[in-house]
Amino acid sequence: MTRTRRLVTSTIALAGLILALFTATGTAHAAASAPAAPRAGVRIMPLGDSITDGANVPGGYRIDLWQKFVAGGHNVDFVGSMSNGPGNLGDRNHEGHSGWTIGQIDSNVVNWLRTYTPRTVLLHIGTNDMYGSDPAGAPGRLSTLLDHITATSPNTEVFVATIIPISFADSTVRTFNATIPGIVQSKVNAGKRVHLVDMYRALTTADLADGVHPNAGGYSKMANVWYGALLSVPGSMGVRGAPRQEAAAR
């Protein structure tokens, strides 16, 4: 073999060795850095109006509630067609619609339930009905809404909150809230997975930023109440300590 041919052969061999080492190193690095397959959390749908959306404090009660899920090791996925909130809200999805009444939520809820299949629903609705044209009809509309939710998604845990105070309509709010325990109990008696949440007593008008929507402290109080209610129903927010899928900001 001539000197030139030996040089060419050696060069080819060296190139092959370098390529093999690079490929092996790249493969090992890719295997080490590849993330584990995510596991979806228990789907929870925050459902309601601007108080669920978070008027005055984007994200509202969902901010502190999410932090409680994280601290408690609960694997949760907020679901819904809407999305907002700050960076410390790990999952921004919800179904809170500013200005909406019970009837408007009712007109859309079947489609939302079929689309997002929540394990748990957090329902705070009725505030806009209180200064609408028919506050006296709000209890009937709430009962119908609950019937549609439970018929569409019978295995979903539905947490129904009394609505928080309104500074200029407290008497009307109290009258509406007084009907909610009976409505919830009628669903429970029918075998439905419906739970009463006493949200009204957790806040005062001092916790409102504008007479209707909570300030940051008020939303934090709401988060405490929701979390306590969820703790009382096993499985409503997943298994403690289960692997978490951190949802991207959506």
Side-chain angles (χ1 to χ4, degrees), residues 26 55 65 109 163 171 174 184 191 194 200 226 246:
L65 183 56
V109 74
I163 63 173
S171 176
R174 285 176 176 268
V184 169
V194 181
Y200 176 85
W226 283 130
E246 291 294 344

Side-chain angles (χ1 to χ4, degrees), residues 99-143:
W100 281 31
T101 62
I102 297 169
Q104 288 172 298
I105 294 295
D106 189 29
S107 295
N108 292 272
V109 74
V110 169
N111 180 57
W112 293 332
L113 292 171
R114 289 173 177 171
T115 299
Y116 299 106
T117 61
R119 175 71 177 85
T120 298
V121 167
L122 307 180
L123 178 63
H124 183 283
I125 191 65
T127 297
N128 295 300
D129 295 77
M130 296 300 95
Y131 40 85
S133 60
D134 183 26
R141 293 190 293 273
L142 177 63
S143 181

Side-chain angles (χ1 to χ4, degrees), residues 44 61 64-76 78 122 159 197 199 219-234 236-241 244:
I44 296 180
Y61 71 73
D64 282 4
L65 183 56
W66 179 263
Q67 296 304 317
K68 290 181 182 298
F69 290 147
V70 173
H74 300 286
N75 186 20
V76 165
F78 281 151
L122 307 180
F159 292 82
V197 180
M199 195 66 74
Y219 280 124
S220 183
K221 290 180 179 180
M222 291 187 72
N224 289 337
V225 175
W226 283 130
Y227 190 65
L230 289 164
L231 283 174
S232 72
V233 180
S236 63
M237 56 180 168
V239 178
R240 187 182 180 94
R244 172 175 300 282

